Amino acid sequence: MKKKTSFSTKGQRADIGDLTIYRILANRYTDAVGPFVFLDHIIPKAHSSSSANSGTGAHPHRGIATLSYIIEGEDEHFDSAGNYAKVYSGGIQWMKAGNGIIHDETLNVDSQTKSNRTHAFQFWINLPSKNKAEKPAYLAIQSNEVPNKTLPNNSGWIKIIVGNYQDLKSVIPNYSEQFLYHIQLEAGKNFTIAIEEKVEVAAFLPTKNAILNGIEFQAGEFVEFDRIAGEITFENNLPEATDIILFGGEPYTEPIVAEGPFVMNSESEIADAYRDFYAGKYGKIDNKIGRV
């Protein structure tokens, strides 16, 4: 049985510095897909110099995990727990904000490949209430550490950013049932994946069109499906490979209250998050780390 489309939409511009960004989630139709409550697409861009050097500046989070997936570029991370790392094209920065942290990320061109292009995604993953009170945690995952496999009939490949797929498992912790896959489908090929009952799932087409269960969608479209168990078949009728970001998980059943950089379960917890931040309880970033 094929899953049906619930809706499709495109994002709204939310540029930062030299980066062109489309906010895909939340949108006018939904605030979440499984535990995922936020998605920004930093669209592919060639920069006129060897440096893009764009970031959000130091800012706090509580109650979520942030995940930056870098298709092209170099992402530099600092946080107030003392973590520092750079990941390069194909890599992932994952940070559990837990009970409060300050971080700063800068997306630049890739100093290893010398490419002048950037392309990335940032997700926020809502934590269950019990995990919102935990200490922060952090992982920097390089491209060669991301589980991946070739699709049947040499149709392309799948990377497991979060969750499991067949015998593959991401190193990123799961606090609820969740998955995030990057699928690349070769020209003229197709791929089918089965989704279980009640699982929330959405697909995003970052750069090119694709056919999802017989319907052609455009580059930049976010497509959410129903919650009935079934299959999604991806088809590529283009003369070149196309990419699909597929993500979702079990429904988040606790209350969701989001304000600014905080996602909690009540208005009082949001107030606590701001109070603790202004009281200095999230610590400070040492920007000398990594710059010796």
Side-chain angles (χ1 to χ4, degrees):
M1 180 178 177
K2 299 293 186 184
K3 291 180 70 63
K4 294 181 179 179
T5 301
S6 298
F7 66 86
S8 66
T9 189
K10 290 194 172 184
Q12 300 293 319
R13 286 284 290 268
D15 296 358
I16 297 175
D18 195 32
L19 303 176
T20 303
I21 299 173
Y22 280 87
R23 183 142 303 156
I24 308 302
L25 186 69
N27 57 56
R28 58 179 174 167
Y29 298 108
T30 187
D31 292 327
V33 180
F36 295 91
V37 292
F38 179 94
L39 168 57
D40 268 1
H41 179 212
I42 299 99
I43 70 168
K45 187 172 185 178
H47 300 272
S48 58
S49 69
S50 61
S51 176
N53 197 29
S54 292
T56 56
H59 60 281
H61 286 296
R62 178 183 275 186
I64 58 171
T66 63
L67 185 151
S68 298
Y69 176 38
I70 313 304
I71 304 294
E72 294 180 278
E74 174 181 299
D75 189 71
E76 186 175 27
H77 170 100
F78 297 89
D79 67 43
S80 57
N83 298 303
Y84 170 81
K86 287 183 179 180
V87 301
Y88 305 92
S89 299
I92 303 161
Q93 299 270 21
W94 176 87
M95 181 188 75
K96 183 179 75 172
N99 62 7
I101 197 168
I102 299 170
H103 80 141
D104 190 356
E105 277 190 81
T106 300
L107 181 62
N108 211 330
V109 298
D110 192 326
S111 61
Q112 293 188 335
T113 65
K114 307 302 181 184
S115 168
N116 69 336
R117 292 174 58 83
T118 55
H119 183 200
F121 301 90
Q122 185 171 83
F123 292 85
W124 292 3
I125 303 169
N126 198 7
L127 297 173
S129 59
K130 63 181 180 181
N131 302 111
K132 292 179 185 292
E134 294 175 348
K135 292 181 179 179
Y138 171 74
L139 290 170
I141 302 163
Q142 301 296 346
S143 178
N144 62 358
E145 300 171 315
V146 180
N148 67 89
K149 70 180 346 179
T150 301
L151 298 176
N153 302 316
N154 291 316
S155 296
W157 48 254
I158 183 169
K159 291 184 178 179
I160 316 308
I161 311 302
V162 174
N164 308 302
Y165 178 75
Q166 295 183 351
D167 58 330
L168 300 179
K169 182 178 181 180
S170 169
V171 298
I172 292 173
N174 267 349
Y175 298 100
S176 62
E177 183 184 344
Q178 56 185 313
F179 60 90
L180 169 55
Y181 306 144
H182 178 185
I183 300 164
Q184 185 170 99
L185 197 58
E186 295 293 339
K189 298 291 187 176
N190 63 77
F191 168 65
T192 298
I193 190 168
I195 305 295
E196 295 179 357
E197 187 82 12
K198 297 183 179 180
V199 170
E200 299 178 355
V201 59
F204 177 65
L205 306 180
T207 57
K208 298 183 182 74
N209 296 5
I211 298 171
L212 282 58
N213 281 351
I215 301 172
E216 184 170 7
F217 293 95
Q218 307 298 309
E221 280 199 83
F222 169 96
V223 184
E224 187 172 290
F225 295 87
D226 64 24
R227 300 181 188 180
I228 299 171
E231 296 180 335
I232 305 173
T233 296
F234 305 97
E235 299 175 73
N236 180 12
N237 286 352
L238 302 175
E240 56 190 355
T242 191
D243 292 279
I244 300 114
I245 303 296
L246 187 72
F247 64 97
E250 64 180 294
Y252 190 91
T253 57
E254 298 175 292
I256 301 174
V257 181
E259 185 175 319
F262 306 123
V263 182
M264 303 302 293
N265 300 118
S266 68
E267 294 286 355
S268 64
E269 289 176 340
I270 292 289
D272 290 343
Y274 276 107
R275 184 181 62 249
D276 289 349
F277 168 62
Y278 289 120
K281 293 184 178 180
Y282 296 1
K284 295 181 179 180
I285 293 177
D286 180 2
N287 285 315
K288 295 180 181 179
I289 299 174
R291 297 192 184 277
V292 178

PDB file of all heavy atoms in Angstrom, residues 36-72:
ATOM      1  N   PHE A  36      11.246  16.143  15.208  1.00  0.00           N
ATOM      2  CA  PHE A  36      11.893  17.245  14.497  1.00  0.00           C
ATOM      3  C   PHE A  36      10.976  18.465  14.498  1.00  0.00           C
ATOM      4  O   PHE A  36       9.859  18.413  13.982  1.00  0.00           O
ATOM      5  CB  PHE A  36      12.232  16.833  13.065  1.00  0.00           C
ATOM      6  CG  PHE A  36      13.246  15.728  12.973  1.00  0.00           C
ATOM      7  CD1 PHE A  36      12.840  14.394  12.940  1.00  0.00           C
ATOM      8  CD2 PHE A  36      14.603  16.007  12.933  1.00  0.00           C
ATOM      9  CE1 PHE A  36      13.772  13.367  12.867  1.00  0.00           C
ATOM     10  CE2 PHE A  36      15.543  14.990  12.863  1.00  0.00           C
ATOM     11  CZ  PHE A  36      15.125  13.662  12.828  1.00  0.00           C
ATOM     12  N   VAL A  37      11.454  19.573  15.082  1.00  0.00           N
ATOM     13  CA  VAL A  37      10.621  20.770  15.227  1.00  0.00           C
ATOM     14  C   VAL A  37      11.163  21.953  14.427  1.00  0.00           C
ATOM     15  O   VAL A  37      10.564  23.028  14.428  1.00  0.00           O
ATOM     16  CB  VAL A  37      10.475  21.177  16.705  1.00  0.00           C
ATOM     17  CG1 VAL A  37       9.657  20.148  17.466  1.00  0.00           C
ATOM     18  CG2 VAL A  37      11.843  21.384  17.370  1.00  0.00           C
ATOM     19  N   PHE A  38      12.269  21.768  13.733  1.00  0.00           N
ATOM     20  CA  PHE A  38      12.893  22.889  13.033  1.00  0.00           C
ATOM     21  C   PHE A  38      13.779  22.337  11.928  1.00  0.00           C
ATOM     22  O   PHE A  38      14.486  21.343  12.118  1.00  0.00           O
ATOM     23  CB  PHE A  38      13.740  23.691  14.028  1.00  0.00           C
ATOM     24  CG  PHE A  38      14.492  24.877  13.475  1.00  0.00           C
ATOM     25  CD1 PHE A  38      13.935  26.145  13.516  1.00  0.00           C
ATOM     26  CD2 PHE A  38      15.764  24.729  12.944  1.00  0.00           C
ATOM     27  CE1 PHE A  38      14.643  27.246  13.037  1.00  0.00           C
ATOM     28  CE2 PHE A  38      16.470  25.818  12.459  1.00  0.00           C
ATOM     29  CZ  PHE A  38      15.901  27.085  12.511  1.00  0.00           C
ATOM     30  N   LEU A  39      13.722  22.971  10.752  1.00  0.00           N
ATOM     31  CA  LEU A  39      14.633  22.655   9.655  1.00  0.00           C
ATOM     32  C   LEU A  39      14.903  23.912   8.850  1.00  0.00           C
ATOM     33  O   LEU A  39      13.979  24.531   8.316  1.00  0.00           O
ATOM     34  CB  LEU A  39      14.044  21.570   8.745  1.00  0.00           C
ATOM     35  CG  LEU A  39      14.770  21.344   7.406  1.00  0.00           C
ATOM     36  CD1 LEU A  39      16.237  20.998   7.627  1.00  0.00           C
ATOM     37  CD2 LEU A  39      14.066  20.265   6.589  1.00  0.00           C
ATOM     38  N   ASP A  40      16.167  24.294   8.786  1.00  0.00           N
ATOM     39  CA  ASP A  40      16.632  25.341   7.886  1.00  0.00           C
ATOM     40  C   ASP A  40      17.464  24.702   6.787  1.00  0.00           C
ATOM     41  O   ASP A  40      18.334  23.856   7.068  1.00  0.00           O
ATOM     42  CB  ASP A  40      17.509  26.363   8.628  1.00  0.00           C
ATOM     43  CG  ASP A  40      16.717  27.539   9.171  1.00  0.00           C
ATOM     44  OD1 ASP A  40      15.477  27.569   8.996  1.00  0.00           O
ATOM     45  OD2 ASP A  40      17.340  28.416   9.799  1.00  0.00           O
ATOM     46  N   HIS A  41      17.214  25.121   5.548  1.00  0.00           N
ATOM     47  CA  HIS A  41      18.015  24.670   4.414  1.00  0.00           C
ATOM     48  C   HIS A  41      18.902  25.825   3.972  1.00  0.00           C
ATOM     49  O   HIS A  41      18.409  26.861   3.514  1.00  0.00           O
ATOM     50  CB  HIS A  41      17.106  24.229   3.261  1.00  0.00           C
ATOM     51  CG  HIS A  41      17.851  23.776   2.052  1.00  0.00           C
ATOM     52  ND1 HIS A  41      17.372  23.950   0.772  1.00  0.00           N
ATOM     53  CD2 HIS A  41      19.042  23.136   1.917  1.00  0.00           C
ATOM     54  CE1 HIS A  41      18.232  23.451  -0.099  1.00  0.00           C
ATOM     55  NE2 HIS A  41      19.248  22.951   0.574  1.00  0.00           N
ATOM     56  N   ILE A  42      20.214  25.659   4.146  1.00  0.00           N
ATOM     57  CA  ILE A  42      21.183  26.629   3.650  1.00  0.00           C
ATOM     58  C   ILE A  42      21.496  26.203   2.228  1.00  0.00           C
ATOM     59  O   ILE A  42      22.175  25.203   2.003  1.00  0.00           O
ATOM     60  CB  ILE A  42      22.453  26.665   4.525  1.00  0.00           C
ATOM     61  CG1 ILE A  42      22.097  27.066   5.968  1.00  0.00           C
ATOM     62  CG2 ILE A  42      23.475  27.625   3.969  1.00  0.00           C
ATOM     63  CD1 ILE A  42      21.972  25.912   6.927  1.00  0.00           C
ATOM     64  N   ILE A  43      20.944  26.939   1.257  1.00  0.00           N
ATOM     65  CA  ILE A  43      20.944  26.444  -0.114  1.00  0.00           C
ATOM     66  C   ILE A  43      22.351  26.472  -0.713  1.00  0.00           C
ATOM     67  O   ILE A  43      23.217  27.235  -0.259  1.00  0.00           O
ATOM     68  CB  ILE A  43      19.963  27.227  -1.000  1.00  0.00           C
ATOM     69  CG1 ILE A  43      20.444  28.661  -1.251  1.00  0.00           C
ATOM     70  CG2 ILE A  43      18.569  27.235  -0.392  1.00  0.00           C
ATOM     71  CD1 ILE A  43      19.651  29.352  -2.339  1.00  0.00           C
ATOM     72  N   PRO A  44      22.590  25.645  -1.743  1.00  0.00           N
ATOM     73  CA  PRO A  44      23.920  25.630  -2.376  1.00  0.00           C
ATOM     74  C   PRO A  44      24.294  27.014  -2.896  1.00  0.00           C
ATOM     75  O   PRO A  44      23.486  27.691  -3.539  1.00  0.00           O
ATOM     76  CB  PRO A  44      23.747  24.641  -3.526  1.00  0.00           C
ATOM     77  CG  PRO A  44      22.580  23.799  -3.156  1.00  0.00           C
ATOM     78  CD  PRO A  44      21.671  24.679  -2.363  1.00  0.00           C
ATOM     79  N   LYS A  45      25.522  27.417  -2.610  1.00  0.00           N
ATOM     80  CA  LYS A  45      25.951  28.756  -3.023  1.00  0.00           C
ATOM     81  C   LYS A  45      27.449  28.763  -3.257  1.00  0.00           C
ATOM     82  O   LYS A  45      28.219  28.218  -2.461  1.00  0.00           O
ATOM     83  CB  LYS A  45      25.583  29.776  -1.943  1.00  0.00           C
ATOM     84  CG  LYS A  45      25.833  31.216  -2.342  1.00  0.00           C
ATOM     85  CD  LYS A  45      25.259  32.172  -1.305  1.00  0.00           C
ATOM     86  CE  LYS A  45      25.384  33.622  -1.754  1.00  0.00           C
ATOM     87  NZ  LYS A  45      24.767  34.548  -0.757  1.00  0.00           N
ATOM     88  N   ALA A  46      27.848  29.387  -4.360  1.00  0.00           N
ATOM     89  CA  ALA A  46      29.266  29.604  -4.628  1.00  0.00           C
ATOM     90  C   ALA A  46      29.639  30.986  -4.114  1.00  0.00           C
ATOM     91  O   ALA A  46      28.912  31.964  -4.340  1.00  0.00           O
ATOM     92  CB  ALA A  46      29.538  29.504  -6.118  1.00  0.00           C
ATOM     93  N   HIS A  47      30.759  31.073  -3.413  1.00  0.00           N
ATOM     94  CA  HIS A  47      31.192  32.328  -2.822  1.00  0.00           C
ATOM     95  C   HIS A  47      32.319  32.936  -3.646  1.00  0.00           C
ATOM     96  O   HIS A  47      33.147  32.227  -4.219  1.00  0.00           O
ATOM     97  CB  HIS A  47      31.622  32.092  -1.375  1.00  0.00           C
ATOM     98  CG  HIS A  47      30.524  31.544  -0.526  1.00  0.00           C
ATOM     99  ND1 HIS A  47      29.617  32.326   0.136  1.00  0.00           N
ATOM    100  CD2 HIS A  47      30.154  30.253  -0.261  1.00  0.00           C
ATOM    101  CE1 HIS A  47      28.745  31.569   0.781  1.00  0.00           C
ATOM    102  NE2 HIS A  47      29.056  30.306   0.551  1.00  0.00           N
ATOM    103  N   SER A  48      32.345  34.248  -3.708  1.00  0.00           N
ATOM    104  CA  SER A  48      33.273  34.947  -4.587  1.00  0.00           C
ATOM    105  C   SER A  48      34.712  34.891  -4.104  1.00  0.00           C
ATOM    106  O   SER A  48      35.647  35.117  -4.856  1.00  0.00           O
ATOM    107  CB  SER A  48      32.838  36.415  -4.749  1.00  0.00           C
ATOM    108  OG  SER A  48      32.774  37.050  -3.488  1.00  0.00           O
ATOM    109  N   SER A  49      34.894  34.608  -2.825  1.00  0.00           N
ATOM    110  CA  SER A  49      36.242  34.496  -2.270  1.00  0.00           C
ATOM    111  C   SER A  49      36.405  33.114  -1.661  1.00  0.00           C
ATOM    112  O   SER A  49      35.513  32.272  -1.723  1.00  0.00           O
ATOM    113  CB  SER A  49      36.467  35.562  -1.197  1.00  0.00           C
ATOM    114  OG  SER A  49      35.685  35.294  -0.047  1.00  0.00           O
ATOM    115  N   SER A  50      37.554  32.881  -1.048  1.00  0.00           N
ATOM    116  CA  SER A  50      37.816  31.581  -0.428  1.00  0.00           C
ATOM    117  C   SER A  50      37.158  31.455   0.934  1.00  0.00           C
ATOM    118  O   SER A  50      37.319  30.461   1.624  1.00  0.00           O
ATOM    119  CB  SER A  50      39.324  31.362  -0.282  1.00  0.00           C
ATOM    120  OG  SER A  50      39.875  32.367   0.552  1.00  0.00           O
ATOM    121  N   SER A  51      36.392  32.466   1.352  1.00  0.00           N
ATOM    122  CA  SER A  51      35.785  32.452   2.673  1.00  0.00           C
ATOM    123  C   SER A  51      34.331  32.878   2.605  1.00  0.00           C
ATOM    124  O   SER A  51      33.988  33.878   1.980  1.00  0.00           O
ATOM    125  CB  SER A  51      36.552  33.400   3.604  1.00  0.00           C
ATOM    126  OG  SER A  51      35.940  33.483   4.866  1.00  0.00           O
ATOM    127  N   ALA A  52      33.458  32.098   3.256  1.00  0.00           N
ATOM    128  CA  ALA A  52      32.057  32.493   3.417  1.00  0.00           C
ATOM    129  C   ALA A  52      31.881  33.097   4.809  1.00  0.00           C
ATOM    130  O   ALA A  52      31.325  34.168   4.975  1.00  0.00           O
ATOM    131  CB  ALA A  52      31.137  31.287   3.251  1.00  0.00           C
ATOM    132  N   ASN A  53      32.368  32.366   5.825  1.00  0.00           N
ATOM    133  CA  ASN A  53      32.463  32.855   7.209  1.00  0.00           C
ATOM    134  C   ASN A  53      31.150  33.447   7.711  1.00  0.00           C
ATOM    135  O   ASN A  53      31.090  34.588   8.164  1.00  0.00           O
ATOM    136  CB  ASN A  53      33.586  33.890   7.325  1.00  0.00           C
ATOM    137  CG  ASN A  53      33.990  34.114   8.780  1.00  0.00           C
ATOM    138  OD1 ASN A  53      33.876  33.211   9.596  1.00  0.00           O
ATOM    139  ND2 ASN A  53      34.460  35.307   9.089  1.00  0.00           N
ATOM    140  N   SER A  54      30.082  32.663   7.621  1.00  0.00           N
ATOM    141  CA  SER A  54      28.774  33.117   8.092  1.00  0.00           C
ATOM    142  C   SER A  54      28.287  32.227   9.217  1.00  0.00           C
ATOM    143  O   SER A  54      28.368  31.003   9.137  1.00  0.00           O
ATOM    144  CB  SER A  54      27.754  33.107   6.948  1.00  0.00           C
ATOM    145  OG  SER A  54      28.075  34.090   5.991  1.00  0.00           O
ATOM    146  N   GLY A  55      27.761  32.855  10.261  1.00  0.00           N
ATOM    147  CA  GLY A  55      27.232  32.085  11.381  1.00  0.00           C
ATOM    148  C   GLY A  55      26.200  32.897  12.135  1.00  0.00           C
ATOM    149  O   GLY A  55      25.907  34.042  11.799  1.00  0.00           O
ATOM    150  N   THR A  56      25.647  32.283  13.165  1.00  0.00           N
ATOM    151  CA  THR A  56      24.574  32.915  13.929  1.00  0.00           C
ATOM    152  C   THR A  56      25.096  33.718  15.112  1.00  0.00           C
ATOM    153  O   THR A  56      24.347  34.463  15.727  1.00  0.00           O
ATOM    154  CB  THR A  56      23.608  31.848  14.455  1.00  0.00           C
ATOM    155  OG1 THR A  56      24.358  30.885  15.223  1.00  0.00           O
ATOM    156  CG2 THR A  56      22.922  31.131  13.309  1.00  0.00           C
ATOM    157  N   GLY A  57      26.372  33.551  15.470  1.00  0.00           N
ATOM    158  CA  GLY A  57      26.890  34.152  16.687  1.00  0.00           C
ATOM    159  C   GLY A  57      26.511  33.308  17.892  1.00  0.00           C
ATOM    160  O   GLY A  57      25.663  32.416  17.822  1.00  0.00           O
ATOM    161  N   ALA A  58      27.138  33.556  19.011  1.00  0.00           N
ATOM    162  CA  ALA A  58      26.882  32.766  20.223  1.00  0.00           C
ATOM    163  C   ALA A  58      25.446  32.969  20.694  1.00  0.00           C
ATOM    164  O   ALA A  58      24.961  34.090  20.790  1.00  0.00           O
ATOM    165  CB  ALA A  58      27.861  33.176  21.321  1.00  0.00           C
ATOM    166  N   HIS A  59      24.773  31.860  20.981  1.00  0.00           N
ATOM    167  CA  HIS A  59      23.376  31.911  21.431  1.00  0.00           C
ATOM    168  C   HIS A  59      23.050  30.652  22.231  1.00  0.00           C
ATOM    169  O   HIS A  59      23.706  29.620  22.080  1.00  0.00           O
ATOM    170  CB  HIS A  59      22.417  32.054  20.243  1.00  0.00           C
ATOM    171  CG  HIS A  59      22.509  30.926  19.270  1.00  0.00           C
ATOM    172  ND1 HIS A  59      23.511  30.830  18.328  1.00  0.00           N
ATOM    173  CD2 HIS A  59      21.715  29.835  19.088  1.00  0.00           C
ATOM    174  CE1 HIS A  59      23.338  29.736  17.607  1.00  0.00           C
ATOM    175  NE2 HIS A  59      22.271  29.106  18.061  1.00  0.00           N
ATOM    176  N   PRO A  60      22.023  30.719  23.101  1.00  0.00           N
ATOM    177  CA  PRO A  60      21.709  29.588  23.983  1.00  0.00           C
ATOM    178  C   PRO A  60      20.694  28.627  23.370  1.00  0.00           C
ATOM    179  O   PRO A  60      19.969  28.957  22.431  1.00  0.00           O
ATOM    180  CB  PRO A  60      21.092  30.276  25.201  1.00  0.00           C
ATOM    181  CG  PRO A  60      20.359  31.450  24.596  1.00  0.00           C
ATOM    182  CD  PRO A  60      21.215  31.913  23.451  1.00  0.00           C
ATOM    183  N   HIS A  61      20.637  27.423  23.947  1.00  0.00           N
ATOM    184  CA  HIS A  61      19.562  26.464  23.673  1.00  0.00           C
ATOM    185  C   HIS A  61      19.264  25.698  24.951  1.00  0.00           C
ATOM    186  O   HIS A  61      20.146  25.499  25.804  1.00  0.00           O
ATOM    187  CB  HIS A  61      19.948  25.455  22.581  1.00  0.00           C
ATOM    188  CG  HIS A  61      19.959  26.020  21.204  1.00  0.00           C
ATOM    189  ND1 HIS A  61      18.828  26.492  20.583  1.00  0.00           N
ATOM    190  CD2 HIS A  61      20.975  26.176  20.320  1.00  0.00           C
ATOM    191  CE1 HIS A  61      19.137  26.916  19.367  1.00  0.00           C
ATOM    192  NE2 HIS A  61      20.447  26.739  19.189  1.00  0.00           N
ATOM    193  N   ARG A  62      18.039  25.234  25.061  1.00  0.00           N
ATOM    194  CA  ARG A  62      17.648  24.289  26.113  1.00  0.00           C
ATOM    195  C   ARG A  62      16.508  23.440  25.568  1.00  0.00           C
ATOM    196  O   ARG A  62      15.655  23.912  24.826  1.00  0.00           O
ATOM    197  CB  ARG A  62      17.201  25.022  27.388  1.00  0.00           C
ATOM    198  CG  ARG A  62      16.725  24.051  28.498  1.00  0.00           C
ATOM    199  CD  ARG A  62      16.219  24.776  29.743  1.00  0.00           C
ATOM    200  NE  ARG A  62      17.316  25.115  30.645  1.00  0.00           N
ATOM    201  CZ  ARG A  62      17.141  25.642  31.855  1.00  0.00           C
ATOM    202  NH1 ARG A  62      15.923  25.896  32.319  1.00  0.00           N
ATOM    203  NH2 ARG A  62      18.169  25.921  32.628  1.00  0.00           N
ATOM    204  N   GLY A  63      16.513  22.148  25.920  1.00  0.00           N
ATOM    205  CA  GLY A  63      15.375  21.286  25.624  1.00  0.00           C
ATOM    206  C   GLY A  63      15.410  20.567  24.303  1.00  0.00           C
ATOM    207  O   GLY A  63      14.493  19.795  24.000  1.00  0.00           O
ATOM    208  N   ILE A  64      16.451  20.792  23.491  1.00  0.00           N
ATOM    209  CA  ILE A  64      16.533  20.187  22.166  1.00  0.00           C
ATOM    210  C   ILE A  64      17.928  19.620  21.930  1.00  0.00           C
ATOM    211  O   ILE A  64      18.852  19.855  22.706  1.00  0.00           O
ATOM    212  CB  ILE A  64      16.234  21.210  21.054  1.00  0.00           C
ATOM    213  CG1 ILE A  64      17.221  22.402  21.144  1.00  0.00           C
ATOM    214  CG2 ILE A  64      14.787  21.680  21.101  1.00  0.00           C
ATOM    215  CD1 ILE A  64      17.150  23.366  19.975  1.00  0.00           C
ATOM    216  N   ALA A  65      18.062  18.902  20.818  1.00  0.00           N
ATOM    217  CA  ALA A  65      19.368  18.609  20.240  1.00  0.00           C
ATOM    218  C   ALA A  65      19.421  19.305  18.890  1.00  0.00           C
ATOM    219  O   ALA A  65      18.445  19.282  18.133  1.00  0.00           O
ATOM    220  CB  ALA A  65      19.578  17.108  20.074  1.00  0.00           C
ATOM    221  N   THR A  66      20.524  19.968  18.596  1.00  0.00           N
ATOM    222  CA  THR A  66      20.712  20.576  17.285  1.00  0.00           C
ATOM    223  C   THR A  66      21.558  19.648  16.426  1.00  0.00           C
ATOM    224  O   THR A  66      22.468  18.978  16.927  1.00  0.00           O
ATOM    225  CB  THR A  66      21.395  21.944  17.384  1.00  0.00           C
ATOM    226  OG1 THR A  66      22.714  21.790  17.930  1.00  0.00           O
ATOM    227  CG2 THR A  66      20.589  22.883  18.281  1.00  0.00           C
ATOM    228  N   LEU A  67      21.253  19.622  15.132  1.00  0.00           N
ATOM    229  CA  LEU A  67      22.011  18.775  14.205  1.00  0.00           C
ATOM    230  C   LEU A  67      22.263  19.571  12.936  1.00  0.00           C
ATOM    231  O   LEU A  67      21.321  19.997  12.268  1.00  0.00           O
ATOM    232  CB  LEU A  67      21.241  17.489  13.890  1.00  0.00           C
ATOM    233  CG  LEU A  67      21.974  16.458  13.034  1.00  0.00           C
ATOM    234  CD1 LEU A  67      21.484  15.045  13.368  1.00  0.00           C
ATOM    235  CD2 LEU A  67      21.798  16.699  11.537  1.00  0.00           C
ATOM    236  N   SER A  68      23.532  19.797  12.623  1.00  0.00           N
ATOM    237  CA  SER A  68      23.920  20.447  11.380  1.00  0.00           C
ATOM    238  C   SER A  68      24.542  19.397  10.468  1.00  0.00           C
ATOM    239  O   SER A  68      25.525  18.740  10.852  1.00  0.00           O
ATOM    240  CB  SER A  68      24.928  21.570  11.641  1.00  0.00           C
ATOM    241  OG  SER A  68      24.352  22.580  12.450  1.00  0.00           O
ATOM    242  N   TYR A  69      23.970  19.238   9.272  1.00  0.00           N
ATOM    243  CA  TYR A  69      24.464  18.289   8.286  1.00  0.00           C
ATOM    244  C   TYR A  69      25.046  19.105   7.141  1.00  0.00           C
ATOM    245  O   TYR A  69      24.338  19.854   6.477  1.00  0.00           O
ATOM    246  CB  TYR A  69      23.329  17.381   7.813  1.00  0.00           C
ATOM    247  CG  TYR A  69      23.702  16.415   6.705  1.00  0.00           C
ATOM    248  CD1 TYR A  69      24.943  15.781   6.676  1.00  0.00           C
ATOM    249  CD2 TYR A  69      22.795  16.123   5.686  1.00  0.00           C
ATOM    250  CE1 TYR A  69      25.266  14.893   5.667  1.00  0.00           C
ATOM    251  CE2 TYR A  69      23.108  15.228   4.678  1.00  0.00           C
ATOM    252  CZ  TYR A  69      24.353  14.620   4.667  1.00  0.00           C
ATOM    253  OH  TYR A  69      24.683  13.751   3.658  1.00  0.00           O
ATOM    254  N   ILE A  70      26.346  18.954   6.922  1.00  0.00           N
ATOM    255  CA  ILE A  70      27.076  19.794   5.978  1.00  0.00           C
ATOM    256  C   ILE A  70      27.279  19.016   4.674  1.00  0.00           C
ATOM    257  O   ILE A  70      28.105  18.102   4.609  1.00  0.00           O
ATOM    258  CB  ILE A  70      28.436  20.230   6.561  1.00  0.00           C
ATOM    259  CG1 ILE A  70      28.276  20.747   8.004  1.00  0.00           C
ATOM    260  CG2 ILE A  70      29.087  21.263   5.657  1.00  0.00           C
ATOM    261  CD1 ILE A  70      27.293  21.882   8.167  1.00  0.00           C
ATOM    262  N   ILE A  71      26.543  19.381   3.640  1.00  0.00           N
ATOM    263  CA  ILE A  71      26.739  18.746   2.335  1.00  0.00           C
ATOM    264  C   ILE A  71      28.032  19.240   1.698  1.00  0.00           C
ATOM    265  O   ILE A  71      28.864  18.463   1.230  1.00  0.00           O
ATOM    266  CB  ILE A  71      25.545  19.042   1.406  1.00  0.00           C
ATOM    267  CG1 ILE A  71      24.226  18.602   2.050  1.00  0.00           C
ATOM    268  CG2 ILE A  71      25.740  18.347   0.056  1.00  0.00           C
ATOM    269  CD1 ILE A  71      24.087  17.128   2.236  1.00  0.00           C
ATOM    270  N   GLU A  72      28.196  20.562   1.666  1.00  0.00           N
ATOM    271  CA  GLU A  72      29.429  21.175   1.172  1.00  0.00           C
ATOM    272  C   GLU A  72      29.829  22.283   2.141  1.00  0.00           C
ATOM    273  O   GLU A  72      28.983  23.060   2.586  1.00  0.00           O
ATOM    274  CB  GLU A  72      29.222  21.785  -0.215  1.00  0.00           C
ATOM    275  CG  GLU A  72      28.936  20.790  -1.323  1.00  0.00           C
ATOM    276  CD  GLU A  72      28.749  21.498  -2.658  1.00  0.00           C
ATOM    277  OE1 GLU A  72      27.634  21.993  -2.910  1.00  0.00           O
ATOM    278  OE2 GLU A  72      29.725  21.558  -3.439  1.00  0.00           O
TER     279      GLU A  72
END
